Amino acid sequence: MFQATLMLEVFLDTCGNSLSFNGQNIIDGVNVEGKGENIGGVLGGSYTNISGKVVLQNSIIQGTTSNSNKVGGAIGLRSGGSIYNILIKNTKIINLGNNTGGITGMSTYDNVIARVGIENTYIEGYGNVGGLIGNSTEAIIQYSYVNADITAEHDAGGFVGYLSNNNMLDSSNRNYIQYSYVEDSTIT
């Protein structure tokens, strides 16, 4: 028998601009399965700021078909805004399709990911598989770390599996990693 514990205290502001988790929130032993797009342990897709102390542990997040796309430990698709203070640990994130990440499967448009951690986690996908982000067009990663086993047929990375906007000479480029590290990880 599978048991899941979900204890969340959530605040969504009246303008819909942020999602705040109050106090210490633990998501333990959750099994999330999806056949389509935007599959996540906390949210399928998000266009708002997400903050608070959230721990996702001892869980399985799965994209179960080759058409599964954008699978993340916390969020399937992340578009705009910020993600702060999330820890994913002792979790399996498995996708038979593309764009798989420890925090988000795909990150687009001016995202900031800060103070997040991936610990003792297994992340697997067909392509574009990263410790934090599977596929990124625009993301700033700060004060974060990855400790994971990462497996892909193509395009795998400790932080980001595939960087879509990789013109570092373009002054409008908003991709960078700062004060972050990948440690005790395997990437195959």
Side-chain angles (χ1 to χ4, degrees), residues 81-97:
S82 305
I83 300 172
Y84 294 104
N85 299 323
I86 294 179
L87 173 63
I88 309 289
K89 68 180 187 177
N90 303 324
T91 292
K92 292 182 181 179
I93 303 160
I94 301 168
N95 183 14
L96 298 179

Side-chain angles (χ1 to χ4, degrees), residues 40-106:
V42 179
L43 297 168
S46 174
Y47 300 90
T48 63
N49 294 319
I50 299 172
S51 64
K53 295 177 182 173
V54 177
V55 177
L56 176 74
Q57 62 188 16
N58 307 315
S59 296
I60 301 172
I61 315 302
Q62 297 183 85
T64 59
T65 71
S66 61
N67 293 326
S68 298
N69 188 14
K70 302 173 213 140
V71 176
I75 304 161
L77 170 64
R78 180 80 191 114
S79 186
S82 305
I83 300 172
Y84 294 104
N85 299 323
I86 294 179
L87 173 63
I88 309 289
K89 68 180 187 177
N90 303 324
T91 292
K92 292 182 181 179
I93 303 160
I94 301 168
N95 183 14
L96 298 179
N98 291 310
N99 305 317
T100 309
I103 293 295
T104 183
M106 180 173 265

Side-chain angles (χ1 to χ4, degrees), residues 2-3 9-10 27 46 49 52 59 63-64 68 70 81 118 123 163 175-176 179 181:
F2 187 82
Q3 181 179 10
E9 185 178 336
V10 179
I27 302 170
S46 174
N49 294 319
S59 296
T64 59
S68 298
K70 302 173 213 140
I118 305 295
I123 306 166
L163 182 61
N175 287 301
Y176 65 86
Y179 309 116
Y181 62 92

Side-chain angles (χ1 to χ4, degrees), residues 118-162:
I118 305 295
E119 290 182 6
N120 193 33
T121 292
Y122 178 76
I123 306 166
E124 178 183 348
Y126 182 76
N128 307 338
V129 180
L132 294 177
I133 304 169
N135 184 337
S136 177
T137 59
E138 217 170 274
I140 296 168
I141 298 169
Q142 298 175 308
Y143 307 103
S144 299
Y145 65 94
V146 174
N147 164 253
D149 292 326
I150 301 164
T151 302
E153 291 293 318
H154 64 85
D155 298 315
F159 288 117
V160 179
Y162 182 78

